[in-house]
Amino acid sequence: MAQAYRADTETGGTEPQRSGSRFRDLRERLTGDRGIWRRGIVLACCSLLLTLVMVFHSRIPNTIGNLGSLSETFLPWCAVFIPLLLILGLVRRSATALVALLLPVVVWFNLFGGLLFDKSGSGGDLTVATHNVNADNPDPAATAEQVAGSGADVVALQELPAGKVAAYEKALAGTYRYHSVQGTVGLWSKYRLSDTRPVDLKMGWVRAMRTTVATPEGPLAVYVAHLPSVRVKLHAGFTANQRDQSADALGKAISHEPLDRIALLGDLNGTMNDRALNAVTSQMRSTQGAAGDGFGFSWPASFPMARIDQIMVKGVEPMSSWTLPATGSDHLPIAARVKL
C-alpha cells in the first residue's frame, strides 16, 4: 500500500505541475509541430501588405480615383486589421503569421502611437472653436448656444445657409460683440475685427474668409474655410479634384499673409495625412497633433471616423485641443487653447 501511494504521488496525482514543466511541454509541442512555420503564409502576406500600405501610403497614386488620398484619409483605421490577423493566426496556430504581425504593429505605433497619449497642457491666451453647423440643421439657435457655451473667444462657423444666418447672429449676439459673415462662412469674436475679406477658393462662390482679430496679446490673422466636399463613388473613386484645387488656393493665400501669427479654422474635408492638403499642412501645425488627447475624430458625428475639421496655427503655440459634444450637425465641433 505504501509503495502504491508513493507511486501515485510521484506520477503527478493531484500535485500541480510546475511552471517550468509547462514551458517545456509548450516548447516540445512547438518544436514537434513542423507545420507551425509552414501554415499561415497567406496571413503573413496580408500583414506584409498592410505594412506596405502604411509605410508607402504617399506612393499610392492618385491618378486612379484619388486612391492615395482615400487611403490616407482613413490610414489610422489600418489598426482594425491587426486584431483580426492576430485571431486568425492563433486559430491557424501559425508562428509565421504571428511573427509577421509584428511588422504592422510596429509601423502603426510609429505613425500614430503619439496620438494615444494626452499632450494637452494648461495656460494659453485665446480659445478658438470651429464647427460645420450643417445647412439642414434643425435647430440653429441651440447649436450656436452650445458652441458658445464652450467658452471660446473666437468661433468660426461653416455651411451657413442665407436663410438661417439671422438665427445664428441672434443666438451669438449676447456672447460675441463682433462678427462677420462672408458667403457661407462666418466668424464671431469677443475682440474687434478688421481687414475682413473673402478668400477666393476658385469655386465661383465664397466659402472662405480672412480677418484680423485684435486680441489682448496683439493681432492674429484668422482664416475660416470650408473646402469642397468629397465623395466616394464606385464608378469614379474618391472624387476630390475640386477640393484639391481649393486647398492649393487656400495655401497660397496663407503663404502671402503679412501677419506672423495665423490661425486656420474650418472644415477642410481632409485629414492631416491627406497629401492633397500639403499646400496648407506644410506651413501650419495641427493643434490636435501638437496638444490634443487622442485622434479627435470629428466626422460623422454619429460615429466619428476622421478628423476633417481642423484648427491649425502658425507662429502660435498650441496648448490644448479637444472635441466638443455633438450638436444638431453631422459634424462635431472642435476647440483649442493657444498661447500667443
Side-chain angles (χ1 to χ4, degrees):
M1 292 294 291
Q3 184 176 2
Y5 176 79
R6 187 166 55 252
D8 237 3
T9 57
E10 288 173 358
T11 56
T14 58
E15 183 181 344
Q17 189 178 12
R18 294 180 179 178
S19 59
S21 299
R22 286 196 292 269
F23 285 125
R24 282 196 299 272
D25 291 345
L26 177 60
R27 185 176 67 245
E28 289 173 0
R29 283 197 295 269
L30 290 176
T31 55
D33 185 0
R34 296 181 178 180
I36 197 169
W37 293 102
R38 298 175 183 173
R39 291 190 297 268
I41 299 299
V42 173
L43 293 176
C45 290
C46 290
S47 292
L48 179 59
L49 178 60
L50 183 62
T51 303
L52 293 175
V53 168
M54 289 189 288
V55 172
F56 298 106
H57 62 87
S58 62
R59 301 299 182 93
I60 299 175
N62 258 344
T63 52
I64 303 176
N66 286 290
L67 187 59
S69 287
L70 178 60
S71 63
E72 288 167 337
T73 298
F74 299 102
L75 198 61
W77 289 94
C78 287
V80 302
F81 296 104
I82 292 176
L84 175 62
L85 290 171
L86 174 61
I87 293 172
L88 293 175
L90 292 174
V91 170
R92 289 285 292 153
R93 292 187 300 167
S94 168
T96 300
L98 296 178
V99 170
L101 189 58
L102 292 174
L103 292 173
V105 170
V106 170
V107 170
W108 190 91
F109 273 96
N110 181 61
L111 291 174
F112 304 109
L115 294 174
L116 299 179
F117 304 98
D118 186 357
K119 299 182 290 297
S120 59
S122 59
D125 309 307
L126 188 75
T127 300
V128 298
T130 182
H131 189 27
N132 179 326
V133 295
N134 188 358
D136 298 324
N137 193 315
D139 195 347
T143 295
E145 291 170 359
Q146 189 170 334
V147 176
S150 66
D153 302 301
V154 175
V155 170
L157 301 181
Q158 304 89 49
E159 208 166 294
L160 294 170
K164 295 182 179 180
V165 169
Y168 287 103
E169 290 176 330
K170 181 179 180 180
L172 295 171
T175 306
Y176 302 99
R177 182 177 179 182
Y178 307 95
H179 84 279
S180 176
V181 175
Q182 304 285 327
T184 61
V185 300
L187 187 79
W188 278 257
S189 172
K190 295 180 179 179
Y191 309 115
R192 184 173 54 85
L193 305 179
S194 63
D195 196 15
T196 304
R197 59 180 182 270
V199 174
D200 184 10
L201 296 183
K202 310 300 180 184
M203 296 178 61
W205 69 96
V206 178
R207 293 205 351 173
M209 62 176 285
R210 180 262 180 224
T211 190
T212 299
V213 179
T215 77
E217 303 300 324
L220 172 70
V222 177
Y223 286 77
V224 183
H226 183 195
L227 297 188
S229 300
V230 298
R231 298 287 186 269
V232 180
K233 301 178 181 179
L234 291 178
H235 66 281
F238 195 55
T239 57
N241 292 336
Q242 191 177 31
R243 188 278 312 266
D244 299 350
Q245 295 168 3
S246 292
D248 291 340
L250 177 62
K252 184 176 181 180
I254 292 172
S255 68
H256 292 159
E257 172 58 48
L259 295 182
D260 294 329
R261 296 185 294 190
I262 309 171
L264 169 62
L265 315 174
D267 173 9
L268 303 190
N269 272 306
T271 67
M272 294 296 293
N273 297 315
D274 191 339
R275 76 192 71 170
L277 301 185
N278 280 351
V280 176
T281 57
S282 63
Q283 56 181 322
M284 306 192 79
R285 299 175 67 192
S286 163
T287 58
Q288 184 68 23
D293 181 9
F295 289 91
F297 294 148
S298 63
W299 177 88
S302 57
F303 186 78
M305 298 182 65
R307 186 181 178 87
I308 62 175
D309 302 276
Q310 307 290 349
I311 297 176
M312 287 187 270
V313 294
K314 180 180 181 180
V316 174
E317 185 65 26
M319 303 305 295
S320 58
S321 186
W322 63 96
T323 302
L324 296 170
T327 67
S329 172
D330 56 339
H331 290 244
L332 296 177
I334 61 175
R337 183 80 175 162
V338 299
K339 183 178 181 181
L340 301 178

